[in-house]
Amino acid sequence: MDFPEPLAHLLVVDDEPNIRELLAVSLRFSGFAVSAAADGREALAAADAQPPDLVILDVMLPDMDGFDVAARLRETRRVPVLFLTAKDAVEDKVAGLAIGDDYVTKPFSLEEVVARINNVLRRSLGEQVPGRYVVADLELDDQAHEVRRGGTRIELSPTEFKVLRYLMANSGRVQSKAQILDHVWHYDFAGQQGIVESYVSFLRQKLEVAGPRLLHTVRGVGYILREPRAGE
């Protein structure tokens, strides 16, 4: 009997046996290959023996801080990290997101953990595979980190580039402010969706100098980047 190829190899690191086993079983059921470790030293040894595609890492481990484990894991390779912890203060989230790729607080739902794992993996794969996007006369070269419209180069800040890349990768589909926040800034800004409006405004100012509008507002929903229609 042939079994499907695992979606990715995950390493679960948590000193609480019940949580560690629950996550391992649930993630295997969701189609992932899973290794598990009870502390930092076990995690480093497991990652060395079989490099994971993503690490679900508890911050409060018995032998070392989870942030230190993440830093040591990344001394040899860039591995995405999803922190899992009971700490939910703003400063803890900021510290976690400065080192890792996402942050889930206990108690958590398995559905949320799986959704966040998939989001981090999509972002990670997207960053590793450079691409070229074209919408009308607008071109974005991910490898060269260049944007041109009508052949003229447009200078963008790193964040403007990431917002535009996300919209171009999803051209023709409406993207909500929450989706853009999650992809570009990697976590929920607790209602601060005005930052998306600001960056869309910056992009429009730079893109529309060279041609008709490509980036449109869908009122009450979000934004869409598409080719101009007749009469626009």
Side-chain angles (χ1 to χ4, degrees):
M1 180 178 179
D2 293 330
F3 292 94
E5 190 73 17
L7 299 173
H9 172 226
L10 311 179
L11 173 59
V12 175
V13 187
D14 199 300
D15 64 321
E16 297 182 48
N18 291 341
I19 291 179
R20 189 170 64 250
E21 185 64 20
L22 175 64
L23 281 171
V25 171
S26 299
L27 292 172
R28 289 188 185 110
F29 184 78
S30 297
F32 297 100
V34 181
S35 300
D39 57 38
R41 290 184 179 84
E42 281 189 18
L44 294 172
D48 186 56
Q50 185 178 4
D53 297 304
L54 181 143
V55 180
I56 300 97
L57 179 59
D58 188 17
V59 172
M60 300 177 68
L61 295 172
D63 57 345
M64 64 179 73
D65 189 279
F67 296 153
D68 293 335
V69 176
R72 290 182 61 176
L73 285 170
R74 287 177 169 174
E75 288 176 356
T76 55
R77 64 189 295 266
R78 174 64 172 89
V79 57
V81 175
L82 171 66
F83 283 115
L84 187 69
T85 178
K87 294 184 176 182
D88 60 357
V90 173
E91 56 268 26
D92 295 317
K93 292 182 179 181
V94 170
L97 289 164
I99 300 171
D101 298 86
D102 209 340
Y103 193 106
V104 178
T105 56
K106 300 175 182 178
F108 55 83
S109 73
L110 292 170
E111 292 82 2
E112 179 187 10
V113 173
V114 172
R116 288 181 179 269
I117 287 170
N118 286 327
N119 282 339
V120 172
L121 286 172
R122 279 196 295 269
R123 291 197 300 258
S124 175
L125 291 172
E127 289 168 358
Q128 292 172 15
V129 184
R132 180 173 177 271
Y133 305 97
V134 179
V135 178
D137 61 344
L138 179 64
E139 302 175 57
L140 183 148
D141 188 323
D142 211 0
Q143 191 167 20
H145 212 272
E146 288 184 352
V147 174
R148 296 179 183 274
R149 185 158 193 198
T152 301
R153 183 169 178 173
I154 298 173
E155 296 293 336
L156 299 180
S157 71
T159 302
E160 289 169 346
F161 186 90
K162 291 181 71 174
V163 173
L164 181 61
R165 178 177 59 182
Y166 179 67
L167 291 169
M168 291 188 74
N170 293 278
S171 63
R173 297 190 294 271
V174 178
Q175 301 299 307
S176 69
K177 294 175 185 177
Q179 287 174 309
I180 298 170
L181 273 174
D182 180 69
H183 182 86
V184 176
W185 285 271
H186 294 187
Y187 71 104
D188 184 5
F189 264 62
Q192 298 180 32
Q193 296 187 0
I195 192 171
V196 177
E197 297 173 6
S198 297
Y199 275 92
V200 168
S201 177
F202 299 154
L203 284 173
R204 281 178 173 155
Q205 292 172 24
K206 294 182 177 183
L207 298 179
E208 292 172 14
V209 171
R213 174 166 291 190
L214 300 176
L215 182 49
H216 300 264
T217 300
V218 180
R219 195 170 299 279
V221 183
Y223 301 99
I224 183 171
L225 192 142
R226 59 169 172 77
E227 297 194 11
R229 296 170 179 166
E232 288 184 338

